[in-house]
Amino acid sequence: MKIFVDDIRAAPSKYNKTFRTAEDFIEWLHENKDTCVSTLSLDHDLGENVMDGYQLVKTLVDIPNCIQKIQFHTDNLIGLKNMYMYIDK
């Protein structure tokens, strides 16, 4: 399964699910613990008064999941660096 998390962009056709908020994705992940995600594509800026991509990455590290690959499609270069560096440590 391929998942796209972005508040504005439409997912490319190869993705199975799109989530507009990090909170919605986390809720889905908790409800679908046995589902493996082959690719998770993340934006950093996910709207106002909601988690951003960096906060999502920090949460994903702390919860059990089956995510094989995380990639980023953000225009926010600082956010991109922060997300990448957090996963890479």
Side-chain angles (χ1 to χ4, degrees), residues 43-84:
D43 186 19
H44 179 272
D45 302 324
L46 297 172
E48 294 184 27
N49 302 315
V50 294
M51 293 174 71
D52 61 28
Y54 178 67
Q55 292 166 317
L56 174 56
V57 165
K58 288 172 50 177
T59 301
L60 291 175
V61 170
D62 293 332
I63 60 173
N65 63 68
C66 179
I67 299 172
Q68 298 171 345
K69 175 184 170 185
I70 298 177
Q71 64 187 31
F72 308 108
H73 62 264
T74 184
D75 292 329
N76 183 327
L77 296 179
I78 293 171
L80 169 67
K81 180 180 175 185
N82 290 339
M83 291 187 296
Y84 178 79

Side-chain angles (χ1 to χ4, degrees), residues 10-71:
S13 60
K14 64 183 176 180
Y15 286 86
N16 307 97
K17 286 188 102 30
T18 299
F19 293 92
R20 295 298 177 197
T21 68
E23 291 86 349
D24 286 345
F25 173 62
I26 291 168
E27 181 180 333
W28 179 87
L29 198 57
H30 283 296
E31 293 171 355
N32 296 276
K33 293 178 182 174
D34 295 332
T35 302
C36 260
V37 176
S38 60
T39 302
L40 174 62
S41 187
L42 299 177
D43 186 19
H44 179 272
D45 302 324
L46 297 172
E48 294 184 27
N49 302 315
V50 294
M51 293 174 71
D52 61 28
Y54 178 67
Q55 292 166 317
L56 174 56
V57 165
K58 288 172 50 177
T59 301
L60 291 175
V61 170
D62 293 332
I63 60 173
N65 63 68
C66 179
I67 299 172
Q68 298 171 345
K69 175 184 170 185
I70 298 177
Q71 64 187 31

